[in-house]
Amino acid sequence: YGKVTRGWLGVAMQDVDQDVAAAMKLPTSRGVLISDVTAGSPAQRGGLKRGEVVVKIDGQSVETNGHFRNAIAAGGSGKKVNLELYREGKLEKLTVALGEMPQDRQVGGGSQGSAGPSGGGLDGLSLSELTPEVRQRLDLGNDVPKGLAVLRVAPGSPAAKAGLRPGDVLLEVNRKPVATVREFEDLYGKSKGNVLLLLHRQGSTVFVVVRR
């Protein structure tokens, strides 16, 4: 093309570790977890969804976030890549045609998420439903239709150790959406073992794991 064309998928990702694997009941602790999919991106057009775990690209095992991003970038615009991924616990195959890397984006997709340090329970966490006042304070648009705002996190508490921060919006508990404090308390109270939380943070989404 007379220029370098880096491949673009349009996802935010984070490495899979033992905590994530346990929370998602995966048979492996390798691969990358898709924490967000950019609207209108090659990933969305190809059928990739948030919460899926990619373990292979073109037959090669995906070891880390960086490895996957580099493979996507090296593929170039227009290349079709074959992905193996876990979707709701089942191993599936997907073919996605890559786009061209936009100038304002990093290699491999949108912002890169990472699971924060895990902790015990969620003592020390203060939540609020998304009232108009809370939405205005957190400057949330219509892209966050429902969830729970994290108002305060006590320093040194299990919530802080789990990586939660004031200003986060809690969207899911173990892949189930929450819109009220009661829903959160019910889902979290019934959880056994590691708990997988999905957060909206600074315009993107990220998964964190809480050890119990």
Side-chain angles (χ1 to χ4, degrees):
Y1 301 99
K3 62 177 181 178
V4 176
T5 58
R6 294 194 175 110
W8 179 57
L9 189 58
V11 296
M13 334 167 251
Q14 57 194 85
D15 290 337
V16 172
D17 57 20
Q18 291 183 350
D19 289 340
V20 170
M24 300 188 73
K25 297 180 175 59
L26 297 173
T28 178
S29 58
R30 295 182 178 181
V32 293
L33 171 61
I34 304 300
S35 59
D36 208 359
V37 177
T38 302
S41 66
Q44 186 184 57
R45 292 194 296 270
L48 270 172
K49 299 178 181 178
R50 184 170 59 199
E52 296 176 340
V53 175
V54 180
V55 292
K56 285 187 179 182
I57 178 170
D58 289 334
Q60 300 297 314
S61 296
V62 173
E63 301 293 335
T64 64
N65 188 337
H67 172 234
F68 185 63
R69 288 187 290 116
N70 290 339
I72 292 296
S77 176
K79 176 180 172 59
K80 291 184 178 180
V81 293
N82 298 308
L83 305 177
E84 290 189 29
L85 52 89
Y86 282 98
R87 173 178 290 172
E88 297 181 357
K90 296 180 180 180
L91 188 61
E92 298 191 10
K93 296 182 178 181
L94 199 66
T95 300
V96 180
L98 302 178
E100 182 175 351
M101 170 72 68
Q103 293 296 319
D104 61 344
R105 292 188 180 271
Q106 298 179 357
V107 174
S111 61
Q112 176 180 331
S114 62
S118 297
L122 283 180
D123 295 340
L125 182 65
S126 177
L127 298 172
S128 170
E129 295 171 14
L130 294 182
T131 64
E133 293 77 14
V134 171
R135 284 184 175 277
Q136 184 175 14
R137 185 166 69 173
L138 298 182
D139 194 23
L140 294 176
N142 295 329
D143 57 329
V144 187
K146 60 183 179 179
L148 295 172
V150 178
L151 300 182
R152 291 183 298 277
V153 180
S157 67
K161 293 177 182 178
L164 283 92
R165 312 170 187 170
D168 287 342
V169 179
L170 179 61
L171 304 176
E172 295 180 359
V173 176
N174 285 336
R175 305 309 315 283
K176 295 182 180 180
V178 291
T180 68
V181 174
R182 177 169 292 184
E183 287 177 348
F184 169 79
E185 291 175 343
D186 184 55
L187 288 171
Y188 187 78
K190 292 179 179 177
S191 300
K192 297 180 180 179
N194 291 354
V195 183
L196 187 70
L197 304 180
L198 177 66
L199 307 175
H200 179 276
R201 174 179 292 167
Q202 297 179 342
S204 189
T205 49
V206 60
F207 287 96
V208 297
V209 176
V210 179
R211 291 179 182 174
R212 300 190 70 190

